[in-house]
Every structure is written in C-alpha cells, then in structure tokens.
Amino acid sequence: MKRSSGVLMHISSLFGDYSIGSFSEHAKYFIDFLSDCGFSYWQVLPFSMADAYNSPYKSYSAFGGNPYFVDLEALHQKGLLTKDELDAYRQHTPYSCEYDRLNKTRAEVLLKAANRAENRAEIEEFIRQNPYLEQFCRFMALKDVNEQKCWIDWEREEICSKRLFLWQFIQFEFFSQWKEIKSYANSKGIKIIGDLPFYVAYDSADVWANPELFLLDESGRPTHVAGVPPDYFTPDGQLWGNPLYDWNKMESEGFSWWQARIRHMLSLFDGVRIDHFRALSSYWMVPAESDTAREGIWGRGPGEKLVDKIKEIQGEKLVIAEDLGEITEDVTELLAHSGFPGMRVLQFGFLGEDDSTHLPHNYSENCVAYTGTHDNNTLLGYVWELSEAQRTRLFSYCGYVGTEWTEGCDSVIRALLASHASLAIFPIQDLLGFGRDTRMNVPGRAEGNWGFRLTKEQLDGIDREKYYNLNKLYKRI
C-alpha cells in the first residue's frame, strides 16, 4: 500500500431527503470532500440487505444489494417516479435513518418505478449474467408470496412475475447507480473499500440455493452455528446463530462459492475488508440447540487453501484481514502467509498498561490503523468514558498536555496519521468531534444501532484545509 489515509462511513449515513443515505449526488459531494481533505480511501460497511435489527452483517444474500440505497431522485429523472410521489416519501428527520418508515413504504415506491420501466429486456439480461443475483431475486420473490417466512417454512412455490421483476429492477438500478458513483470516486483519486461479512444468515438465498455447502441436518436445519467463545467481557461468549460452512464440501468444489463472492466484491470495490478473518484458520462452532456459546468447540477452517484462492483473484486490489479479538499463533501464521494487512485500533491500546500491539509505536507498515471501527465508541465518547489515569496516559502519549478534550482528540488523530501504518482510517464521527450518541453499533445490543446520519451542514463544518495539511505533513498524499 502507498502511504495514505481515508474515512469510514456507511452509505446509510449520507445526508439526503429520503430517510437514509443512497447512491445520490450527495455521495459525489462526499467524495469531493474526501478529495479536498487529501484522503485517498472511502471505507463502507456491507452493501447487503439489513436484518430485522438493521444490521448489514446478517443478510438475505451475500451478493444482493440493499434496496434502500437506490436513489429515488435518479428514478425521477428517468421518468419512473413523479414529483408528487417523491414528495410523499420525504423524510421526517435528517439526523437518523428512518427504518420503520422505510420498511413500510420503500417497496411500494420502488414497485411504482419498476412497473414503468421500459428496459425490461436489458434488466432481465443483466440478471441472467449474474446467477447469484438471479438466485437472490427468486428467493425474495418467494419470500413475498410466503408472507416473509423463513425458507424452511415455505408452503408456496409459485412466483409472482410482478414481484420477481421488482427485485430484478431493484438490483439492476442498485448496481448501475453504484457503478456511476464508484467511477466518479476513482476519477477524483478516491478508492473505495468494501466490507465482507464472514458468515451468511440461515434465512438467505445463499443457504436456500446451496444447502450442501453448510452444516445442515437431513431436515435442512443447522447442526451447529457460529459464535465466539467466552471472554473477559462476555462470560457466556457470543452466540451469533449463523449456519457454519461445510468446508470439506466447499474444498471439493474448489471453493467456487467463495471465489464467486470475492470476485463479486472486488468488481464493486477497489479493496475489501474480510470480517472475522480468524475463522479461516479456526472458528467457534456451537451445537444448534445450545442457549449460549459456552458449549462450543474450535473447528478447523480452510486456512491456506482458501487464502491462496483469494490471492489468485486479488490481483492489485487491497484485501484487509480483520484480525481483532483472540488471535492465536495459527491465525498469526495464516495472516503472515496471506500478506494481507491486518488491523490496529488505537482505542484498544489504552485500556490496559501492557505494551499493546494497538499502540501506534508498534504499528507495522503493512497494517490499516483506525481510531475506532463501526463497533467502537466514537473517539470523543471513548475519551469521555476512560478513567482519568487512562485519559492522561492517552493524551500524554499523543503529545497533548492541555485540558480541552476536543484538542486532545485532535492530537490522537495526528498520532495515527504520524504512525508507521501505511493506511490510517477515521470514522466520520471522529472528524466531526461527535460523542457516543452517534456511534454506529454496540455489539451485543439488538436495538438502537445503525441509525447515524450526518447533515450537509455538519460535513461542511469540517475544516478541509486542516486535514489536507495534516495529510500532506505526514506524507499521506
């Protein structure tokens, strides 16, 4: 990697008028902001559909795109929606995603647009050329006629042609609009990093269409599910509930599903972060009937065999390994074999007194350093919750001796930029100086996540010249 920096912000957090961020002109405005600040990367979260709790990490498909990101203004410009229809769907608040409203109304407005589309042959051909998208569209159309039940409980097998075309239309518009946004970003010197959740949901097109690739019993239900073992913070561990891969079967097929997934991701982005990378080496497998993750055992992942397949596909694109959590020697060896940069999170460096790998003086060149990720508190919120001794240590380490926490946070950002890490990434909340009420996700908490949005006025309040000069000073331009 060339020495550079970037910003972490999901599409949903973009400002706009229709309850959630989208592939709109506002995305291009944000790209202009990144360019003006001297940043080189925009990192996003998964583009897949979110679950009932609005998380994009447990989706109906590893390949399908989130309908909420389709820009309604672009559909209006195509003549597929009227001005009155647009006005009827304007948001009530600009400060958070209106998921309840989206869940009730977005499908109906997209159906109106789909019914007016005159390029049906072009849309259907696009879907035919993408077999995993075709599976996803069929899956969603079947969920529609089966009252959104899990696929294992479906009773009806006939597909409504109108609903099937709706999903085909959504995916065509999603990927067409994103192609334009990414092209604009690249023209401005901005590369985009996507995010690949390691597991898929049980109720997904991936499991429904490819049950042989997962650890399921004869009735089609999981024998074991994913999670992580108990630790200091979670005495019972974390029970995620995702079905586990049948790695023997996948290997016998040359990891074709995983290869298709990586190719798909790298066709959308200039790089990708592989979430929960450690599971490629060893993963926690919990009997499906268990109430907690305490009863799990370690299973062996595909290791170098799959990593080598990923490297063959990777080419010149960036692949980041999320190597956080309990990292054992086997994971360290696999990461070294891959050559992928790992992750360092500055917030983790000041929670104890040890010489943590997350302290900037220990960063290697081949890593991506963050003040925090989407699962962390904001930088200001983190500083607020530190003990006085921890806070003093943090600010002293970063060369700040004053009492203004905002200025102290600026010193933390400078310390990350000054570090040896080739790539430094900052959540947009940290550039804005926002507190914990704007954090994206609290792991283990079902409600109240994924809603953060910023306004154009807030983005314009960030001093672009300041960050351009910092990026130039620390040779990240």
Side-chain angles (χ1 to χ4, degrees), residues 302-476:
E304 294 181 3
K305 295 175 182 178
L306 180 52
V307 165
D308 289 344
K309 292 289 186 183
I310 296 172
K311 289 171 67 177
E312 290 175 8
I313 299 168
Q314 174 186 6
E316 297 298 316
K317 294 201 173 184
L318 175 64
V319 174
I320 301 170
E322 188 266 287
D323 58 338
L324 306 176
E326 183 185 348
I327 302 303
T328 51
E329 185 177 348
D330 59 318
V331 182
T332 301
E333 291 174 354
L334 183 62
L335 182 62
H337 172 81
S338 74
F340 303 152
M343 291 175 57
R344 295 293 177 266
V345 180
L346 185 141
Q347 287 191 25
F348 295 156
F350 295 90
L351 297 180
E353 295 297 326
D354 61 324
D355 189 21
S356 169
T357 58
H358 294 283
L359 291 169
H361 69 267
N362 286 325
Y363 295 169
S364 69
E365 184 177 3
N366 190 37
C367 80
V368 182
Y370 298 77
T371 44
T373 73
H374 64 278
D375 282 333
N376 291 105
N377 203 341
T378 67
L379 179 56
L380 182 60
Y382 167 78
V383 167
W384 178 275
E385 294 181 358
L386 289 176
S387 68
E388 184 175 352
Q390 289 172 323
R391 192 180 307 118
T392 299
R393 178 175 173 237
L394 167 67
F395 287 161
S396 177
Y397 181 97
C398 298
Y400 180 68
V401 295
T403 58
E404 294 294 330
W405 289 4
T406 300
E407 294 179 10
C409 288
D410 279 346
S411 74
V412 175
I413 289 173
R414 291 176 69 106
L416 204 72
L417 287 169
S419 76
H420 201 47
S422 288
L423 178 55
I425 299 281
F426 305 94
I428 188 65
Q429 294 95 318
D430 292 353
L431 302 187
L432 290 162
F434 285 174
R436 70 164 294 130
D437 58 321
T438 64
R439 73 179 290 177
M440 198 65 171
N441 181 50
V442 179
R445 185 183 76 183
E447 304 287 347
N449 296 320
W450 314 108
F452 167 72
R453 291 180 76 196
L454 77 163
T455 66
K456 180 176 179 296
E457 292 72 23
Q458 289 168 341
L459 185 69
D460 287 341
I462 297 175
D463 188 340
R464 302 185 187 202
E465 185 177 5
K466 166 187 168 181
Y467 285 104
Y468 181 87
N469 289 334
L470 285 173
N471 277 310
K472 185 175 181 181
L473 176 65
Y474 293 111
K475 308 302 180 186
R476 295 190 178 273

